[in-house]
Amino acid sequence: MLLDEVTDLIAANSRDELEQQLTELKEEREDLMPEFDVRSLEEFRERLASEELSAAELRGRRNVVATWEAINTELGLVKHALHLYDAVVELSSPGTDTSSRFA
């Protein structure tokens, strides 16, 4: 499944587009840190348990956790795609035996 996600990203994006996505995702994650005065998702989660929050506040913070986790997942996929970009494009070029889905 991971490889499918990564190859789909490579098929749909140029290296420059993937690098831009990486930048945007890191910016999104970095924007969460000062907003909640934390340096990591783990620190944010620790505060959930230690602070007295209403049910509505807790739901809102859980939404932030879900967003942060989604950003981290996307970051991982984009990083993998960038690491494998050249190899996948080369293997899928018309000069190889594999089908050319990425050229």
Side-chain angles (χ1 to χ4, degrees):
M1 189 166 107
L2 173 66
L3 189 54
D4 289 341
E5 293 281 338
V6 170
T7 54
D8 287 348
L9 274 172
I10 293 169
N13 297 280
S14 69
R15 177 182 291 282
D16 287 341
E17 291 168 331
L18 289 170
E19 289 170 350
Q20 181 62 35
Q21 284 182 30
L22 184 68
T23 302
E24 290 169 2
L25 288 164
K26 284 189 174 199
E27 287 172 348
E28 283 182 55
R29 186 174 65 182
E30 289 169 2
D31 287 346
L32 292 172
M33 294 175 189
E35 182 177 342
F36 296 98
D37 193 29
V38 294
R39 285 172 272 158
S40 68
L41 177 57
E42 293 74 26
E43 184 180 347
F44 184 76
R45 282 189 160 137
E46 286 176 18
R47 288 194 179 175
L48 284 177
S50 65
E51 293 179 359
E52 289 295 322
L53 302 170
S54 69
E57 290 170 319
L58 192 53
R59 272 191 297 279
R61 300 263 176 119
R62 288 292 306 143
N63 288 339
V64 172
V65 167
T67 299
W68 204 319
E69 288 174 336
I71 291 168
N72 286 345
T73 298
E74 287 295 314
L75 269 169
L77 290 171
V78 170
K79 285 179 181 181
H80 286 305
L82 285 167
H83 285 295
L84 297 173
Y85 192 88
D86 289 334
V88 170
V89 170
E90 182 180 325
L91 287 172
S92 62
S93 69
T96 63
D97 293 333
T98 59
S99 63
S100 178
R101 188 175 117 177
F102 303 101

